[in-house]
Amino acid sequence: MAEKMEFFESKIVQDFNREIEQYHLGPLWNAIPDLMHKQPTPAAVPYLWKWETLHAKLMEAREIFTPDRGGERRAIYFQNPGLKQRQPWGWASTTHSLYAAVQLILPGETAPSHRHTQSALRFIMEGEGAYSIVQGERLFMEEGDFLITPKGLWHGHAHPGDTPMIWMDCLDIPTIYSIAGTFYENYPKKIEQPSVPDNYTSQRYAGGLVRPISDRYPKVAPLGSYKWLQTLAALEGLSRFEPDPYDGFAVEYINPSNGHTANPTIAAWMQKLPSGFHSKAHRHTNSVIYQVFKGSGYSIVNGVRFDWSKGDFLVIPNWAWHEHVANEDSFLFSASDLPIMEKFDLQQEEGYPENAGHQIVTDEFKPLLP
Ligand code: 1HN
């Protein structure tokens, strides 16, 4: 080993490495240790953003930035501290494959319509009365609703109601960026006008239960909005039975025409952890972004305790050991890149092998200084 190190550090090798650079050539022997790990070693780190901070910053943004003035959404996104160095074009995503943000829209505001090759989802955290207009369908939003804007469809938001609304956005921006697949286009007018009745797909699909007989093979995901009361009813039904040892009572939002995830690249789940529930620890190749919709508790990620409560966001990077504990009945929304891992046939999962499936807490999370 020492001999090998000596060889790689020798002048003749170092000089050669530098020399071929001018031809835009690289020495594999230098790169391979960084590229080929025994197992995933994500640069993204586990991280927690508290609602207090998010809310305060959205309120400040409310004073200085309006979509009408800037023409963009009032969204503040989660920059994973571990990815800041790696993405030198000036931004950092939330996990390697996903972007997530909180977005605030005020009564009377309009977020202009546009379309792009990224898939998007929204989870409604607070408020009601605004709508997303997706390919001519106005989807009115209420707390706890889950919405998708599939890639390539026009979408914009407007708020005819009277209370501020805050939601979580999640898009596969880093994934599409890394394969240079971005197309983006603004709608010719500020906002698209309705071309079908309001909440059309929810009504035609009874929220996902059935499909109209004329709609056997829809080209795009046929359902735009998944209502909270229906999700809650599903979780209540499920919670009469045994919880999953890792995730409690969890359901996944699906495309009712094919049973796949509602977005082809981003899975979305709602899970209920009953008061006192302590899951076993496991890890998987996909990363997860959690939003605490209701309740409080903590998660242990790679031995570090993260205390969370309503409104907080928690990121679990790929292949990190994690387990959850609920102090009260808690509802966690999550978005993950599970379908991306599955499409590459890379999905793997394993339970924590020691200590009856529980990690030992070695530290408590503290926000990192910039
Ligand atoms: C987008 O279309 C929305 O529609 C939110 O609300 C965030 C971030 C990057 C690119 C497109 C939205 C976005 C986005």
Side-chain angles (χ1 to χ4, degrees):
M1 193 64 194
E3 211 174 288
K4 197 170 152 188
M5 287 297 289
E6 234 170 73
F7 171 70
F8 283 119
E9 282 164 18
S10 66
K11 184 162 180 331
I12 185 170
V13 174
Q14 298 276 329
D15 285 351
F16 183 77
N17 291 351
R18 260 192 302 276
E19 208 270 324
I20 61 173
E21 252 178 50
Q22 60 184 304
Y23 305 98
H24 306 290
L25 299 170
L28 174 64
W29 48 85
N30 241 27
I32 206 120
D34 271 347
L35 295 178
M36 296 295 151
H37 318 125
K38 199 167 164 208
Q39 57 183 18
T41 56
V45 295
Y47 209 74
L48 178 75
W49 288 268
K50 297 299 288 179
W51 173 240
E52 238 176 86
T53 312
L54 299 173
H55 188 256
K57 294 302 152 196
L58 283 174
M59 291 306 121
E60 287 171 33
R62 168 185 175 147
E63 300 303 321
I64 60 178
F65 180 86
T66 67
D68 288 334
R69 242 179 33 214
E72 293 292 349
R73 281 90 168 113
R74 190 190 290 102
I76 295 179
Y77 67 95
F78 299 99
Q79 295 195 321
N80 193 295
L83 293 174
K84 282 193 179 168
Q85 302 304 319
R86 293 236 324 186
Q87 294 173 328
W89 52 89
W91 82 301
S93 54
T94 313
T95 73
H96 286 253
S97 54
L98 299 177
Y99 153 106
V102 281
Q103 182 168 166
L104 166 68
I105 188 166
L106 300 175
E109 286 181 342
T110 301
S113 291
H114 61 205
R115 65 181 177 188
H116 40 68
T117 43
Q118 289 80 4
S119 302
L121 64 81
R122 277 161 250 297
F123 179 69
I124 312 308
M125 297 164 60
E126 253 187 45
E128 59 178 5
Y131 64 82
S132 266
I133 179 156
V134 183
Q135 207 69 17
E137 177 188 3
R138 296 202 299 179
L139 301 160
F140 281 85
M141 301 181 272
E142 297 173 300
E143 256 173 50
D145 289 356
F146 166 74
L147 285 90
I148 56 166
T149 55
K151 73 171 164 45
L153 302 193
W154 296 116
H155 60 283
H157 321 296
H159 197 345
D162 50 22
T163 57
M165 280 196 71
I166 298 176
W167 63 71
M168 166 189 181
D169 295 308
C170 182
L171 292 88
D172 52 6
I173 294 175
T175 304
I176 303 303
Y177 190 93
S178 69
I179 55 173
T182 300
F183 286 86
Y184 174 94
E185 194 182 353
N186 285 323
Y187 193 67
K189 301 206 185 80
K190 187 171 177 191
I191 185 129
E192 197 191 359
Q193 292 306 303
S195 55
V196 293
D198 291 344
N199 303 313
Y200 183 62
T201 56
S202 274
Q203 296 185 58
R204 292 182 80 227
Y205 272 76
L209 179 71
V210 291
R211 67 178 162 219
I213 53 164
S214 57
D215 227 6
R216 290 190 66 93
Y217 301 107
K219 287 235 167 44
V220 294
L223 180 60
S225 160
Y226 299 69
K227 301 303 287 179
W228 168 242
L229 285 179
Q230 283 174 295
T231 310
L232 181 62
L235 286 173
E236 279 171 354
L238 198 61
S239 52
R240 296 198 187 99
F241 307 98
E242 280 301 300
D244 179 272
Y246 303 111
D247 286 302
F249 303 106
V251 291
E252 179 167 348
Y253 299 94
I254 57 169
N255 173 332
S257 68
N258 60 16
H260 299 166
T261 50
N263 265 319
T265 50
I266 316 172
W269 294 11
M270 174 55 74
Q271 66 196 81
K272 176 182 173 182
L273 307 179
S275 181
F277 180 77
H278 189 152
S279 81
K280 288 191 164 188
H282 70 159
R283 63 180 177 182
H284 34 66
T285 44
N286 63 293
S287 59
V288 188
I289 304 165
Y290 277 103
Q291 198 275 332
V292 183
F293 181 49
K294 290 174 196 282
S296 62
Y298 63 92
S299 301
I300 307 166
V301 189
N302 286 342
V304 178
R305 175 173 164 145
F306 292 75
D307 283 274
W308 40 256
S309 51
K310 184 175 156 60
D312 295 354
F313 282 77
L314 172 68
V315 167
I316 316 259
N318 323 68
W319 212 233
W321 294 114
H322 59 281
E323 64 196 272
H324 307 297
V325 184
N327 299 338
E328 57 186 305
D329 280 359
S330 297
F331 290 88
L332 305 181
F333 173 80
S334 65
S336 84
D337 53 5
L338 176 67
I340 299 177
M341 290 300 174
E342 284 178 340
K343 284 189 174 78
F344 284 105
D345 198 16
L346 290 174
Q347 184 60 6
Q348 282 187 45
E349 178 186 344
E350 64 187 31
Y352 193 69
E354 290 155 27
N355 198 27
H358 294 293
Q359 302 162 83
I360 294 168
V361 177
T362 54
D363 204 357
E364 273 179 27
F365 169 74
K366 282 169 220 72
L368 293 170
L369 292 173

